[in-house]
């Protein structure tokens, strides 16, 4: 007889899991229904083919997150690499699905990145979302960071509040970012035990900034 106690698993998630941010994916209108191709210049989805809605209820739950520590291959998820993660939840609480975004809100990493200035007041950074902007500088000066100063952090880059460096200038940004993962596949289908009790669901995620994950 299969012995599974869903409430015990929920307690385990509450004690050992971590809080996550969860964004549901919806296909963007820029996708061609015939060819299946997306508009890579779309201003709504940024060319990824999906738009996202934040699920605020996700902050009330915790998920079990495990780092992939060796290369593996699963028929339903494809090749997994070092740095990928598996995320386990109860599907009646967090029904995370393919192409959704999951942010590990309790983790953050420091990054130093050199970018080339655009001709606007915003410059994108590669690793997002940005948790905190530490320093911004060019070869000849350092800019003050924070509200009321010269530059602030935006969700996906830096926003210039005063006159920025000229377009084409090399700028170094030092910042903390929060890891965000694109869900590649579910490793278990949503299924129930006899009596209607859900079993845990495990999904596979890959860092959003690692590659163009939608060909």
């Amino acid at each position: 007889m299969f012995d599974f106690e869903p409430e015990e698993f929920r307690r385990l998630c509450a004690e050992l899991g971590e809080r996550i941010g969860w964004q549901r994916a919806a296909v963007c209108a820029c996708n061609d229904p015939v060819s299946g191709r997306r508009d890579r210049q779309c201003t709504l989805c940024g060319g990824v083919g999906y738009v996202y809605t934040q699920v605020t209820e996700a902050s009330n739950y915790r998920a079990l997150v495990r780092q992939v520590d060796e290369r593996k291959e699963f028929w339903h998820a494809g090749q997994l690499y070092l740095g990928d993660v598996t995320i386990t939840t109860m599907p009646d609480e967090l029904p995370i699905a393919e192409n959704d975004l999951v942010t590990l809100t309790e983790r953050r990493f420091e990054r130093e990145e050199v970018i080339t200035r655009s001709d606007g007041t915003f410059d994108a950074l590669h690793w997002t979302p940005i948790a905190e902007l530490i320093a911004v500088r060019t070869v000849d000066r350092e800019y003050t960071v924070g509200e009321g100063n010269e530059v602030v952090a935006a969700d996906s880059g830096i926003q210039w509040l005063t006159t920025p460096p000229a377009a084409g200038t090399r700028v170094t940004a030092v910042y903390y970012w929060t890891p965000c993962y694109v869900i590649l596949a579910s490793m278990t289908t949503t299924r129930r035990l006899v009596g209607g009790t859900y079993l845990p669901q495990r999904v596979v995620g890959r860092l959003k900034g690692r590659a163009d994950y939608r060909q």
Side-chain angles (χ1 to χ4, degrees), residues 66-86:
R66 180 179 180 274
Q67 205 84 22
V68 173
D69 54 12
E70 61 179 332
R71 289 185 62 172
K72 299 179 180 178
E73 187 166 353
F74 297 90
W75 68 268
H76 46 342
Q79 183 75 54
L80 303 189
Y81 298 92
L82 298 179
D84 292 347
V85 295
T86 61

Side-chain angles (χ1 to χ4, degrees), residues 110-113 132-137 172-176:
E110 185 175 340
R111 187 81 178 183
E112 182 175 304
E113 182 177 342
E132 180 185 354
L133 189 60
I134 302 172
V136 176
R137 52 181 175 265
T172 299
V174 183
Y175 59 97
Y176 287 108

Side-chain angles (χ1 to χ4, degrees), residues 69-133:
D69 54 12
E70 61 179 332
R71 289 185 62 172
K72 299 179 180 178
E73 187 166 353
F74 297 90
W75 68 268
H76 46 342
Q79 183 75 54
L80 303 189
Y81 298 92
L82 298 179
D84 292 347
V85 295
T86 61
I87 302 168
T88 306
T89 63
M90 288 295 285
D92 58 334
E93 295 177 345
L94 298 175
I96 300 170
E98 185 176 343
N99 294 311
D100 288 356
L101 296 180
V102 172
T103 303
L104 305 185
T105 58
E106 296 180 348
R107 305 186 190 188
R108 67 180 200 169
F109 303 99
E110 185 175 340
R111 187 81 178 183
E112 182 175 304
E113 182 177 342
V114 177
I115 60 174
T116 301
R117 270 282 298 135
S118 66
D119 57 0
T121 59
F122 173 81
D123 285 300
L125 295 172
H126 185 70
W127 298 97
T128 62
I130 309 301
E132 180 185 354
L133 189 60

Side-chain angles (χ1 to χ4, degrees), residues 30-65:
C30 74
N31 282 270
D32 187 318
V34 177
S35 67
R37 295 181 178 178
R38 65 188 186 276
D39 179 3
R40 292 180 180 270
Q41 305 303 316
C42 178
T43 57
L44 179 61
C45 70
V48 300
Y50 292 86
V51 292
Y52 293 94
T53 302
Q54 183 72 44
V55 183
T56 55
E57 295 82 1
S59 62
N60 298 325
Y61 302 103
R62 292 177 179 267
L64 297 179
V65 181

